[in-house]
Amino acid sequence: MREISYSEAIREAMCEEMRRDASVFLMGEDVGVFGGVWGVSHDMLQEFGEERVLDTPISEIAIVGAGLGAALVGMRPIVEIMFGDFLMCAGDQIVNQVAKARFMSGGKASVPLTIRVTSGAPGSAAAQHSQSPESWFMNIPGLKIVVPATPADAKGLLKTALRGEDPVIFLEHKMLYGEVGPVPEDPDFMVPFGEANILRSGKDLTIIAVGIMVKKALEAAAQLEKESIDAEVVDVRTLVPLDKPTLIASVARTGRVIVAHEAHVRSGPGAEIAAMLAEEAIEYLDGPIVRVGAKNVPLPYSPVLEQFVLPGVADIVRAARSFWPAHT
Amino acid sequence: MVPEAQKADNVYTVVMPKLGLIMTEALLVEWRKKEGEWVDKGEVLFAMESDKSTLEIEAPASGYVHILVAAGEVVPVQTPICLISDQLQSPKPVVEQLPRVQEVHSDVKMLKQPDTISVSDIVPRVAASPKARTLARRLNLDLTKISASGPKGMIVSNDVANASKQKDAPSETLPLSGLRAVIAERLSASWRERPQVTLVTEIDATDLVSARSQIQLETGKKLSYNAFFMAAVARALYEHPYVNAHLEKDGLCRMEAIHIGIAVDTPRGLMVPVVRDVDHKGLLEIDDELKRLAANALEGRSTPDELSGGTFTITNLGQFGIDAFTPIINPPEAAILGVGRISPRPFVFNGQLAVRETVTLSLSFDHRLLDGAPAARFLQRVSQLLERPVLLYSHKFGV
C-alpha cells in the first residue's frame, strides 16, 4: 500500500468527500490562500474555489457558529480551529448549540458538522498553544470525539465524520502531521467510530492509548518486551463513543491496565476510562489502574520543563514496571 | 487527635474502642488511673488487649476518673468503661442516656512501638487486587497467609496462584475427616501417654482349627476365628480382672462388665464395634453379634453405642498375611490383643517336629496398670484356652 503522511491523509479525505458531495466545504483561519497554518489544506482553494474553501475572520465563535448554521440548513461543513486551545472561544456554540440542536429540536435538526482541531504540544508552544482539550468536551453529551493516531485512521475516521449526521470534534495532534504510514486509496475507506484498535497483542498488560500516545505506547511495549513484559497496546480511536467491549476484553486478558494520553492526568480521558473499567471490569483487575498523562500544571515553554511535564515512553515503561516491584 | 468523647454535664464517657473492622470485644487489661484519681487529657488511661495486640489508650479529656468496668473483664466494643468528670464524686449513672461515643482510632499506642503507629497498624487490611480476591475466594485460600509481590505490597492473582500451587504441590492434602481425626487423636494420646509393652507368643492352633470345623459340621455355621479369640479373651479377663481395667484420672478403674471391641477396617477408616457382655455369651452368639456389628461398621450404619464402651480390644491382621505385630492400646483400655495369621508351620509337638497350625498372639499392655508377669499370665491363659477350644464351647466359666 502506498504510504502518505497523516497530514496528507486528512487532506485526501477532505478532497475526496468534497469531490463526492457538493454539500461538504471547508472554512477556517488561513485554510485557503495560506493552505492552513499546518499546511493541511494546501492547494485546496485552487481545486475547489473560494465558495468551498473559505478563509474566515479570527473568531472561533463565528467560525463554529457559521458551521452550525450551515449544517442546520443541510450543508456538511468542515471547520478548522487552528489550535484546540481556542475552542473555548467557541464554547457556547459547541456546548450549548452544536451539541444540543438535535435534542432541543426534538430530533428534527441534525448538525453534521466536523470541527477539525489541532491539539497537543508541538514543542515550546507554551501553555496556550499546546493543550489536549478532548476531555473538556467528553462531559458534553451530543458530541463525538475522535482522536486518530495513524494516517490511515485519520483518513478513515474523518470520512466517517463527514458522512455522519453528528457533530464531531476531530483532534489532530500537531506532532502526528508528519507521520507517514500506509493509507488505503479506496474512496469509500472508512473507519467506524467506537471501534478501538488492538495494535499489539500482549498477555501481561494493557496500555490503552489516546492519540499520539499510541505511538509512544508501542515504543514502550517494544522496550518492555526486552524485560519479558508482554504489553498489549490498544488505540481507542474515538473517546466518544468509547469501545468498552474491546477495552474490557483486553483488561480481562491481561489484568493490568495503563491509560496513556497527553492531556493532563486530572480529569483527563483516562479518568473516564479508569472509572468505566472500575465499574465494569473490576473483577479482572490485578492491580491499580495507572494513568499516564501530562502533570497537572500548564504546559511550560522551556523545553526542559516541557519534557518533564509531558508524558513520554519512559513514563509508560516506568508505570508498567510498577506492576512487578520485584522485577525492577 | 482527641477522641470525641460524649460530654454531658461536664461528664465524658469513655468507651471500649473498636480498633479493627472485625474486633467485637476486648480485654480491659489494666487501669492506669485509680477510681477518683485525676487524669490529664492525653495521659494513658488504661491498657486493653484485642486479639491482635495490647494497646494503651489515652484519656480523651481531663478530669476525675470514675471506673465503670473493672480490669480483667472482657467487654464488647463501645461499652462505656469509665466516666471522666470535673467532680470528685462519682456522677450519676448517666451512661444509658448518653449516645455512643465515637471510635478513638488515633489515640492508641502500641506498647512496644509507641511512636510508630498508623491506622493501618490497627485496622487489619489485606491489600489485594480484585482479581486476586476473586481467585482466593474461589480457591478458598486465606489472603492473610499469602505473600504479596504486586505494586504497593498488593497481593496479585499470581501470588494466589502460587500459594495454591504450594498448597497442592507435595501431595493432596485432605482435611482429616471426623473419623480420621478421632483416630489420629486417640492413637497419638495412646502412644504419648502410655508406656506400652508388647508380649508375643506363638501357640498351637491345630485344635482350634479342628474345633471350628467340628462346629461347622455340627451346626452348619462357619464361625469366625474372632469369635473364638473373643471367647477366650472374655474368659481370661473374667479370671484375670486386673486386665479388664481403665486408668482414669482419679485412679485405676476395674470394669465389671466385659465388653470386647474388634477392630474392623472400613472404607472410612478403623472402627471398633464392641460386643457387650461377652462373658455371658456362647460362641455362636458371639459370632452372630460380631458379624452383625462388623456389617454395620462396614456399611456405616453403626450406632454410637455399638462403637463405644469397650473394656478390651482384639485386632486381627491374619487375613492380610501378617504373622505378628505390636498393636497400640485403644485408650482408656489397659491392653489389646493382636492376632496374626493362622497357618501350618513347623512346630515341636509331643517332642517331635511336626507341621501344626499355629498363630502368633501379641498382647500390648499399659505398663502403668500391669506388671509384666500378670500380663504374661493373662496371655498365657488366653493361649491355653485357644489351644483347648473345647473349654470355649461352654459359656459357663469355671466348668
Side-chain angles (χ1 to χ4, degrees), chain B residues 42 56 62 85 96 139 179 191 221 223 232 270 339 366 373 377:
Chain B
E56 290 184 332
S62 302
S85 158
E96 287 309 306
L139 297 172
L179 179 60
W191 191 253
K221 284 192 175 177
L223 265 60
L270 172 69
V339 180
D366 185 340
R377 274 198 291 275

Side-chain angles (χ1 to χ4, degrees), chain B residues 32-96:
Chain B
R32 297 295 167 81
K33 294 287 169 187
K34 295 191 194 76
E35 170 67 27
E37 194 178 348
W38 178 269
V39 64
D40 280 321
K41 183 169 143 181
E43 271 190 284
V44 174
L45 181 59
F46 64 96
M48 58 170 282
E49 187 179 298
S50 73
D51 51 350
K52 292 267 179 208
S53 53
T54 303
L55 305 158
E56 290 184 332
I57 306 295
E58 296 170 4
S62 302
Y64 295 100
V65 173
H66 301 288
I67 290 170
L68 302 173
V69 172
E73 282 197 38
V74 173
V75 294
V77 297
Q78 302 291 19
T79 304
I81 54 174
C82 94
L83 306 176
I84 298 176
S85 158
D86 59 353
Q87 303 293 317
L88 185 54
Q89 310 91 304
S90 185
K92 284 183 291 178
V94 291
V95 176
E96 287 309 306

